[in-house]
Amino acid sequence: MTAPQTKAEPRAGKAPLSEQIAMIKARNLMVAQVASTNWGMGLSPIMQRAVAEYIRVTGLDLTEIDILGGRIYRNSVYSLRRLSELVAEGKIEYARADFIHEDPRLTEIAENADAPPPEREWAIAEIWRRKRECITRSIPLEAHYACVFRVKVRGVDGEFADAKWIQLGRLNRKDKLADPIGNEHPIETLVSRAAHRTLRFVSTKFEAIGSVERQLDEIAEAIIEEIPKDERKAEPAAREEPRPDRPPIPEEYYPNPAKQLTEGAPPDPLIQRLDLEKAARAMAGPDPYTDAVGAESGTEPAPIAAAAEALTPAVNTVVGDDVAPAKAPSDEEWQDDRSLVD
């Protein structure tokens, strides 16, 4: 008598095949989103997958990271969100922007004889306060906008602050705008950059705040170190440096070169060739992830995924609410700290 057949049970520690396929699709979608960004389209396929894995493991948003010199950095968008979370958690009393550039409206109020006396007194005091801040923080006279971002850590006397400034129309050695983003959005740029630098400085001084930042750095390093060095840095995008013997690719083909096909236009041989070359590069490089077949066959996880998964619990570690008492640094100590970069 033949024994009744039973449904095969999934091996311990392995997710069902349907879940693995869904995870692979989600990863591929994130890779496509990375490749569609201005900074991601020039990355190698394996680097695009590494960035997507970092986003998946850490839970960060695509807008909160940048790739500079082949390394993953969290940008000012992340810093502003992180500071708001620290205020909500009670670790920081306040985090606010203080603008210190000259404002013609203050002068108008101060010189207006018909203005209420309290308002005139406030305007005069504010004008002198801003001048004092600019002088103290070495803001150049050519600056059109300046901001000091202030952070007060709970249980610490004094506050942490850093200043940034923007000069509109400033040109570099190639007679191009030295800061096009700041020139177009000066207020938003000032706040985000000053907040970013201030958060980094505070993170180096307090364990309860800096532990999460260090864990995110460790995950980025663990993922990137598995990538060959020649695959880390971004390559010039095709639309930025078109070959002289070919016409430039129309702007509407980005970020999806196959967009024309969905609109009923005839295929463009140039776009088809670029798609084939991109696919060939992706197939030629090693796949840093364990696909569904590999997972079922019991193969070892790929280096990038393994490195990220090994550090995943660290990101979800709850940081204690206690902040060790400390004194805020003096102005000299702040200026002498060269370990931070803009």
Side-chain angles (χ1 to χ4, degrees), residues 22-332:
M23 181 176 295
I24 291 173
K25 289 182 178 179
R27 283 171 167 167
N28 290 339
L29 178 60
M30 179 56 68
V31 173
Q33 292 177 353
V34 171
S36 68
T37 61
N38 290 331
W39 51 263
M41 65 174 59
L43 298 177
S44 65
I46 191 173
M47 188 64 179
Q48 291 173 350
R49 289 181 172 270
V51 174
E53 180 70 1
Y54 179 78
I55 294 174
R56 184 189 71 84
V57 171
T58 60
L60 299 183
D61 189 80
L62 186 62
T63 62
E64 296 179 336
I65 65 171
D66 289 323
I67 307 299
L68 301 174
R71 304 187 67 84
I72 301 176
Y73 291 94
R74 297 178 301 286
N75 58 26
S76 55
V77 176
Y78 164 81
S79 299
L80 288 172
R81 178 180 67 81
R82 178 62 179 150
L83 285 169
S84 65
E85 292 176 350
L86 292 171
V87 172
E89 295 170 4
K91 295 183 175 67
I92 288 179
E93 294 184 15
Y94 61 78
R96 59 184 177 85
D98 177 17
F99 296 101
I100 59 174
H101 53 266
E102 292 186 5
D103 192 325
R105 294 170 297 183
L106 290 173
T107 305
E108 180 181 352
I109 295 174
E111 296 177 352
N112 187 357
D114 296 331
E119 298 300 325
R120 291 189 63 189
E121 294 176 1
W122 168 80
I124 294 173
E126 179 67 9
I127 290 174
W128 285 106
R129 185 192 73 84
R130 293 189 175 203
K131 288 183 179 292
R132 182 183 297 110
E133 287 282 356
C134 288
I135 294 173
T136 302
R137 301 185 180 277
S138 300
I139 304 298
L141 295 174
E142 297 79 12
H144 293 89
Y145 297 92
C147 172
V148 179
F149 201 90
R150 305 180 186 277
V151 172
K152 175 67 168 62
V153 179
R154 188 173 300 279
V156 177
D157 295 334
E159 64 181 10
F160 295 87
D162 186 56
K164 288 293 181 182
W165 57 273
I166 287 178
Q167 177 185 350
L168 299 179
R170 184 166 58 95
L171 303 179
N172 57 20
R173 297 179 180 178
K174 297 182 179 180
D175 291 333
K176 295 183 179 180
L177 284 176
D179 186 6
I181 300 299
N183 199 78
E184 184 175 0
H185 305 286
I187 300 299
E188 296 88 340
T189 303
L190 275 178
V191 174
S192 59
R193 289 175 180 175
H196 182 57
R197 182 177 170 89
T198 306
L199 173 62
R200 294 190 61 187
F201 188 79
V202 171
S203 299
T204 64
K205 301 298 181 182
F206 300 96
E207 176 64 22
I209 298 175
S211 58
V212 172
E213 304 303 314
R214 288 193 298 274
Q215 290 161 7
L216 291 173
D217 290 337
E218 291 173 1
I219 293 174
E221 292 177 1
I223 291 177
I224 294 301
E225 69 181 5
E226 300 295 339
I227 307 294
K229 292 185 177 180
D230 58 346
E231 294 279 353
R232 297 180 186 179
K233 294 186 178 181
E235 299 176 357
R239 61 175 171 178
E240 295 178 352
E241 295 186 6
R243 292 183 55 175
D245 57 336
R246 291 189 175 93
I249 301 175
E251 182 71 19
E252 58 267 23
Y253 290 159
Y254 288 90
N256 181 10
K259 178 181 177 183
Q260 56 171 336
L261 302 180
T262 63
E263 299 177 351
D268 187 328
L270 173 59
I271 300 302
Q272 289 182 329
R273 182 185 63 79
L274 290 176
D275 286 344
L276 291 174
E277 290 182 356
K278 184 176 181 180
R281 287 185 61 194
M283 294 177 64
D287 188 351
Y289 299 101
T290 304
D291 56 20
V293 177
E296 286 297 305
S297 62
T299 57
E300 293 295 327
I304 293 177
E309 294 294 346
L311 290 168
T312 301
V315 180
N316 300 322
T317 303
V318 178
V319 180
D321 294 333
D322 296 333
V323 179
K327 291 183 62 179
S330 62
D331 292 340
E332 292 77 11

